Amino acid sequence: MVNNIAIEKAKTSKIKDVDFDNLSFGSVYTDHMLVCDYKNGEWSAPKIVPYQPITLDPSAKIFHYGQSIFEGMKAYKDEDEKVWLFRPLENFKRLNKSAKRLAIPELPEAHFMEGLMALVHLESDWIPKNPGSSLYIRPFVFASGKGFHASPAGEYKFIIACAPSGAYFSGKVKVLIEQTYSRAANGGVGYAKAGGNYAGQFYPTQLAAEKGYQQVIWTDDNTHEFIEEAGAMNVFVRINDTLLTAPTNDRILDGITRKSILDIAKDEGIKTEVRKVSVHELVEAAKNGSLKEMFGAGTAAVVSPISAFGYEGVDYDLPELADSYASRLKKRITDIQYNRAEDKFGWRHEVI
């Protein structure tokens, strides 16, 4: 029992079979997972059990009505073997914000935080020590209750699973500004981390890939005049020396990395503006040379630089910068995450 969390340990560990020098992202899983069930109107006490398959009835409502939400987090190990999380309470708050929007019962903070801490503590040997590596953590909740009736389920399952992952680096990406499909709509669930949001992105992204692009830049659902997100990440644009990003709304995820970048940029003396950025403004800035950078921001890659964007059959290349905002901001965040630098914001959370 750790932090009041019951633990059933795996009989044998898989860790000896893992090549920690060649980890792909999110494809190898640790020995244990946290499980917690919602039944009869309340969440049961969470427990840690061996990582294992889940058995569900074919009528489980997750399959039919898509009540599913998740978070993405990481645990880091510093040079002294101490383990750290990055702004975990923000993930908890956002998970419950998503839950409320999808009519899923909200989780008690203690269930999330104590369960998370106990699981990461137990699996600390799984945290890679190679540069840029980390333990990816996936909390998720889905409807496990049965029934074909189109209504919220009566039962839910909360799970946290972990995957040791290498550095998430795919190089600079070429993106296509989307003019037909929308990621989300006003009054919808775009601000929630709902599984269906991501499922809906796959097809337009496949179409973009067929044209030679790695991701799409989503635009507003009404006019397609304003840029909103980059693939599954928030998007930043640097025009001259000003860093711009769209304001959050019903359609845009309130990214934790996004918020962190804005705070660090201000601390670095970088001028920031949170406002609508039109496709026309972006194209004109690319033409006149004032567009210096574009990058995506999210948990997995932290910062993903964009090398070029396509719009109406024309590709616009971005310049190569020796001292980019993207590299500066990524270094500031990762230095905090890995306990290599002062954390003046109070974001780092030690796992004991």
Side-chain angles (χ1 to χ4, degrees), residues 104-337:
I104 294 172
E106 296 178 44
L107 278 156
E109 181 178 324
H111 281 47
F112 184 92
M113 288 301 296
E114 291 183 13
L116 173 66
M117 295 283 281
L119 181 63
V120 173
H121 176 80
L122 180 65
E123 305 290 61
S124 60
D125 287 344
W126 284 85
I127 303 175
K129 301 175 186 176
N130 297 338
S133 299
S134 59
L135 183 67
Y136 185 77
I137 304 166
R138 172 55 60 86
F140 59 104
V141 185
F142 62 90
S144 56
K146 299 184 291 184
F148 291 144
H149 187 268
S151 61
E155 298 180 2
Y156 298 84
K157 192 175 286 287
F158 168 53
I159 293 176
I160 304 179
C162 304
S165 298
Y168 191 97
F169 180 74
S170 56
K172 290 192 174 183
V173 296
K174 185 179 176 183
V175 300
L176 177 67
I177 293 181
E178 182 57 51
Q179 296 175 265
T180 302
Y181 297 97
S182 299
R183 177 187 173 274
N186 286 328
V189 296
Y191 68 87
K193 280 190 76 72
N197 287 344
Y198 296 80
Q201 295 183 36
F202 295 155
Y203 178 63
T205 304
Q206 285 179 347
L207 296 179
E210 291 171 2
K211 299 177 182 177
Y213 301 91
Q214 287 79 46
Q215 285 288 352
V216 298
I217 292 286
W218 300 106
T219 51
D220 67 287
D221 64 309
N222 187 29
T223 66
H224 295 289
E225 291 180 3
F226 298 94
I227 66 170
E228 296 202 325
E229 293 200 349
M233 298 186 287
N234 295 117
V235 64
F236 284 83
V237 174
R238 175 184 173 185
I239 295 179
N240 290 318
D241 291 330
T242 301
L243 192 63
L244 310 170
T245 195
T248 56
N249 54 34
D250 284 352
R251 303 181 304 274
I252 298 178
L253 187 72
D254 187 12
I256 295 165
T257 305
R258 172 189 175 276
K259 291 190 286 192
S260 304
I261 283 176
L262 286 171
D263 286 343
I264 289 175
K266 292 172 186 174
D267 189 62
E268 290 270 319
I270 295 171
K271 183 181 177 182
T272 62
E273 292 182 11
V274 178
R275 64 168 174 83
K276 289 183 176 182
V277 179
S278 71
V279 177
H280 174 75
E281 180 182 7
L282 191 67
V283 170
E284 287 303 307
K287 287 179 178 179
N288 65 32
S290 60
L291 178 62
K292 305 300 183 184
E293 294 180 66
M294 292 177 64
F295 57 87
T299 297
V302 184
V303 169
S304 183
I306 293 170
S307 62
F309 71 89
Y311 180 66
E312 292 188 338
V314 179
D315 286 344
Y316 299 88
D317 293 320
L318 278 84
E320 291 277 350
L321 301 179
D323 181 26
S324 67
Y325 284 180
S327 60
R328 284 171 60 186
L329 295 166
K330 182 173 183 177
K331 185 177 187 304
R332 277 290 305 270
I333 290 181
T334 54
D335 281 351
I336 291 172
Q337 290 170 336

Side-chain angles (χ1 to χ4, degrees), residues 2-6 34 36 43-47 89 92-93 96 106-119 158 160:
V2 178
N3 289 338
N4 300 314
I5 305 294
L34 182 102
C36 182
W43 286 102
S44 64
K47 58 184 179 181
L89 277 172
F92 164 70
K93 292 173 185 175
N96 270 349
E106 296 178 44
L107 278 156
E109 181 178 324
H111 281 47
F112 184 92
M113 288 301 296
E114 291 183 13
L116 173 66
M117 295 283 281
L119 181 63
F158 168 53
I160 304 179

